[in-house]
Amino acid sequence: MGKYATIDVALDEMLVNLAAIVLRLSKPEVTRTPEARRALAQSVHQYAVCAARSTDPRVHDLKSQLEKTLKTSLRIVAIDGVKML
């Protein structure tokens, strides 16, 4: 394995470990405040930038998982007993 391939593998491993950390920080109980949500969004964006050049499928899978954490979940709300979206 060449010098550059070794560096690529090491970077991919670092990205996998970083994604695991950001995923733990993306839990709703951690990201309650608007500031925490903004910090999470910035972390996910920076991860995506770093992951763009990776050829490791794990990195791209984790990128997708992280991006899903930013999507707001819809709640069903009832007004006078009638379900509204």
Side-chain angles (χ1 to χ4, degrees):
M1 184 180 288
K3 176 173 49 173
Y4 296 116
T6 302
I7 293 171
D8 279 346
V9 169
L11 287 172
D12 287 336
E13 290 302 320
M14 288 175 57
L15 285 170
V16 167
N17 291 330
L18 178 61
I21 293 167
V22 176
L23 278 170
R24 282 193 298 261
L25 294 174
S26 71
K27 295 188 184 318
E29 57 271 10
V30 177
T31 56
R32 289 184 185 175
T33 66
E35 295 83 12
R37 294 289 299 164
R38 279 193 293 277
L40 174 64
Q42 185 175 1
S43 295
V44 171
H45 174 71
Q46 289 297 321
Y47 183 87
V49 169
C50 294
R53 293 183 177 243
S54 175
T55 57
D56 190 325
R58 298 175 303 160
V59 171
H60 292 282
D61 180 51
L62 289 164
K63 176 182 157 280
S64 296
Q65 287 180 41
L66 285 170
E67 290 172 338
K68 287 178 187 173
T69 67
L70 297 180
K71 302 209 188 310
T72 56
S73 58
L74 296 177
R75 289 182 279 155
I76 296 176
V77 178
I79 298 175
D80 293 329
V82 178
K83 288 185 181 178
M84 311 294 275
L85 243 177

